[in-house]
Amino acid sequence: MALYESACRFDGLTVFDPFAGSGTTVVEAAKLGARVIGYDINPVATLVQRQAVQQWDIAELQRAYKLIEESCRPEIDRVHRAETGETVLYYFWVALALCPNPLCGKDVRLFSTHIFSKNAYPKRVPDAQIVCPICLDIIAGRYDFTSATCRNGHQVTSDGAVSRATVKCINCGTLTKVLDALNDHPPRYEMYAKLVLGKDGKKRYEPITDYDIALYGECTALLKENASTLVLPSGRLDDGENTRQALRWGFTEWRHFFNDRQLYSLGLLATALRELEAGPAEREALIALFSGTLEFNNMFCSFKGEGTGAVRHMFSHHVLKPERTPLEAHPWGTPASSGSFSTLFKSRLIRAHEYKSEPADQILRGNKVERVHGLSLPVEATITNACPSDGFSSRQIYLRTGDSSNTDLPDESVDLVITDPPYMDNVHYSELADFFYVWLRELEPFPECSKTSLAEDKPGELITTRSSNEVQSASPDAFEAAITRVWQECHRVLKSNGLLAFTFHQARLTGWVALARALAKAGFVVTAVQPVKGEMTTSVTKGGVEPSNLDAVVVCRKRATVTGGAVFTDPYAAANEGETRLSELMASGVSVGAGDIRSVIRGYVLATYTTDPQRQDIDEIAQLADELATERIAKLSAS
């Protein structure tokens, strides 16, 4: 803690992240004054990394933003107006499915609840908005209501037609699976409410009128009329672990993720960006901002409620999860908006510029956390996309879109490899990144993100960020083969006294086995394992049969440089060490569940395999790891 709270410097050290992702390692190493190298096989990730450290001329950035605003905002504003001329912040939609009963054949609105808006803290603020499933009247009520009557005399209860995966027709009572009712087609949607920003600055909920329907129809016509000149997403979804759910719902093309007004509005914004004449770094920053805007402006978004950021973005689940009651936001936005281009410009780009110039660190002082300036160096740097042959110059960072198993780094040139590799089958990033890439490839924000330079095998034909060399597979054998290649490259570029450290958690035993085998093949020995709190406890990625709250920080060195006393050799002693670490976390108030215990103990025990892989049977160690993990779950849960 004393080191963390001081102005530490890594002057002279070279830090390499082969899975650089959004650039956490890149930024933190730059703050410490290290020479920094970040590789990622996905161009969308590299685009984000660049914004984290790239120098911007703030005056040029603001000038470019104004040019974009002048080009497209008036029309985007116009198609998000109520008939009073007031701004509509959000439109509420509901998916429709046809009742399969041939004697009925009516549309069913796929509400799971008729409360469509409530406060994030309903016991404090009980006000809620209720929709009538029959006539779509809007009723002001409470979050805990049981029954209400709309202005047309219909009785409304809290429960909607959908319960989990089943829908009950409110007209005839027929029960069917939601997916069966959709019949392999994307759901049709119906607008049922809007949130208007009044001229008095107050927000009010209103039902949809004929004016709203006509305005949306105008957007459909304008989209068709201007499709040849607008930047729009193209391409089809490929089958994959994280696209399968969307495909089952009939979302086969990327444009299916947007309604016509979203496509028209976002198309106007993207076209303005494509034609923008501005500094390369500033143009790139605004294109990256546009990709962030896409997260909050599509038909996979939903309403979080009052008292919080209104839009729940589409990747809150780290998957492509279809939404039965999507929220359509104003893409340009107002100061009262959430997730819009204008609000994100201030909350992301302007704040990023301030942080890069003068980073703040969160330091524990007594029982309070304070933001302290001056401990870290500025992170603004000159970016190169090739390894400097004459060495790094001052404030230069090497960021590259490429295969981390085949770098251009010299032998034994890296002091530290710090990374967060994919966790085998958790989140397939390229499948999600394609959502952005189908827009970005038309804008070419930087050379390596162009349509041609990434397509090494098919120049000019790349339509996806997926790669056969990416380290991501539900198959343990494929995952092991891919990550082995990266660890071998890390071994080559790491100095003899260098250190490899990474975070990992895995619900499946086969994932830990694949990792241990890969490290051993690459010539690494695990010298330490430290469980730490990972994502927020409330993260949806921590759900499941045995939700996980912890990651393990795994520390490795080259086997040839490690003495026997510095490694794990006894599986039982390793399990005891893991138990001790977990007990310490529990004693300090960190939530530790069965999934955490199982993953961490497996990691500790399988670490012993890396000490002498030629003389050990990995299958026997894996079986023992599972048995010891089960024992520790019973022991620690009882305590």
Side-chain angles (χ1 to χ4, degrees), residues 408-456:
D408 60 350
L409 305 180
D411 292 350
E412 297 195 1
S413 59
V414 171
D415 297 282
L416 301 169
V417 178
I418 311 290
T419 194
D420 180 20
Y423 301 154
M424 194 170 84
D425 57 350
N426 274 23
V427 181
H428 292 250
Y429 295 101
S430 63
E431 296 174 9
L432 307 183
D434 276 352
F435 170 81
F436 304 103
Y437 184 70
V438 294
W439 292 85
L440 292 175
R441 68 193 182 96
E442 299 298 325
L443 304 178
E444 301 188 5
F446 59 94
E448 287 184 283
C449 198
S450 70
K451 287 183 288 185
T452 56
S453 62
L454 287 171
E456 297 171 356

Side-chain angles (χ1 to χ4, degrees), residues 446-474:
F446 59 94
E448 287 184 283
C449 198
S450 70
K451 287 183 288 185
T452 56
S453 62
L454 287 171
E456 297 171 356
D457 52 345
K458 297 180 180 179
E461 298 181 15
L462 185 68
I463 58 172
T464 178
T465 65
R466 297 191 191 189
S467 168
S468 58
N469 292 322
E470 65 186 358
V471 180
Q472 191 84 70
S473 176

Side-chain angles (χ1 to χ4, degrees), residues 587-599:
S588 64
V590 175
S591 176
V592 176
D596 297 314
I597 300 168
R598 193 178 305 280
S599 179

Side-chain angles (χ1 to χ4, degrees), residues 291-322:
S291 72
T293 306
L294 292 172
E295 287 187 67
F296 296 89
N297 290 273
N298 59 78
M299 296 298 276
F300 279 47
C301 296
S302 57
F303 190 53
K304 289 168 65 177
E306 298 281 3
T308 183
V311 187
R312 180 179 292 107
H313 67 79
M314 69 177 300
F315 291 117
S316 59
H317 293 83
H318 290 196
V319 293
L320 299 174
K321 179 181 178 294

Side-chain angles (χ1 to χ4, degrees), residues 279-601:
E282 292 74 30
R283 180 179 180 273
E284 183 181 295
L286 290 168
I287 291 174
L289 181 68
F290 170 74
S291 72
T293 306
L294 292 172
E295 287 187 67
F296 296 89
N297 290 273
N298 59 78
M299 296 298 276
F300 279 47
C301 296
S302 57
F303 190 53
K304 289 168 65 177
E306 298 281 3
T308 183
V311 187
R312 180 179 292 107
H313 67 79
M314 69 177 300
F315 291 117
S316 59
H317 293 83
H318 290 196
V319 293
L320 299 174
K321 179 181 178 294
E323 180 59 49
R324 292 192 303 270
T325 52
L327 183 74
E328 178 194 355
H330 188 313
W332 187 270
T334 75
S337 296
S338 173
S340 67
F341 190 79
S342 62
T343 56
L344 292 176
F345 178 76
K346 295 177 181 178
S347 65
R348 290 193 177 180
L349 290 198
I350 299 302
R351 286 182 63 192
H353 175 73
E354 293 169 352
Y355 183 88
K356 287 189 288 185
S357 303
E358 189 180 7
D361 291 285
Q362 298 187 62
I363 303 301
L364 188 64
R365 297 282 167 82
N367 293 322
K368 294 183 178 180
V369 175
E370 296 181 8
R371 290 173 58 84
V372 178
H373 294 276
L375 296 180
S376 296
L377 294 170
V379 298
E380 285 187 317
T382 301
I383 298 173
T384 178
N385 60 9
C387 187
S389 57
D390 299 327
F392 284 78
S393 61
S394 177
R395 310 308 302 161
Q396 184 181 46
I397 292 177
Y398 174 21
L399 298 180
R400 177 93 174 240
T401 302
D403 180 0
S404 297
S405 69
N406 182 25
T407 74
D408 60 350
L409 305 180
D411 292 350
E412 297 195 1
S413 59
V414 171
D415 297 282
L416 301 169
V417 178
I418 311 290
T419 194
D420 180 20
Y423 301 154
M424 194 170 84
D425 57 350
N426 274 23
V427 181
H428 292 250
Y429 295 101
S430 63
E431 296 174 9
L432 307 183
D434 276 352
F435 170 81
F436 304 103
Y437 184 70
V438 294
W439 292 85
L440 292 175
R441 68 193 182 96
E442 299 298 325
L443 304 178
E444 301 188 5
F446 59 94
E448 287 184 283
C449 198
S450 70
K451 287 183 288 185
T452 56
S453 62
L454 287 171
E456 297 171 356
D457 52 345
K458 297 180 180 179
E461 298 181 15
L462 185 68
I463 58 172
T464 178
T465 65
R466 297 191 191 189
S467 168
S468 58
N469 292 322
E470 65 186 358
V471 180
Q472 191 84 70
S473 176
S475 161
D477 290 341
F479 173 74
E480 179 185 330
I483 203 166
T484 296
R485 292 193 296 269
V486 175
W487 292 152
Q488 287 172 334
E489 181 70 354
C490 290
H491 191 278
R492 180 186 70 79
V493 304
L494 195 63
K495 294 178 181 178
S496 60
N497 63 343
L499 179 148
L500 162 66
F502 60 92
T503 58
F504 196 75
H505 79 254
Q506 177 58 237
R508 294 166 60 187
L509 176 61
T510 50
W512 274 109
V513 170
L515 180 74
R517 285 168 56 95
L519 289 169
K521 287 179 181 178
F524 283 110
V525 175
V526 176
T527 57
V529 179
Q530 175 63 58
V532 295
K533 182 166 172 144
E535 296 189 55
M536 293 172 61
T537 308
T538 55
S539 169
V540 292
T541 61
K542 299 301 182 185
V545 178
E546 288 186 341
S548 175
N549 184 42
L550 301 182
D551 283 348
V553 177
V554 182
V555 182
C556 309
R557 294 185 184 274
K558 290 186 172 182
R559 183 177 297 111
T561 67
V562 176
T563 59
V567 296
F568 297 106
T569 55
D570 180 3
Y572 296 93
N576 290 337
E577 174 70 13
E579 178 187 340
T580 299
R581 296 290 189 178
L582 290 166
S583 297
E584 290 170 350
L585 287 173
M586 295 171 71
S588 64
V590 175
S591 176
V592 176
D596 297 314
I597 300 168
R598 193 178 305 280
S599 179
V600 169
I601 298 300

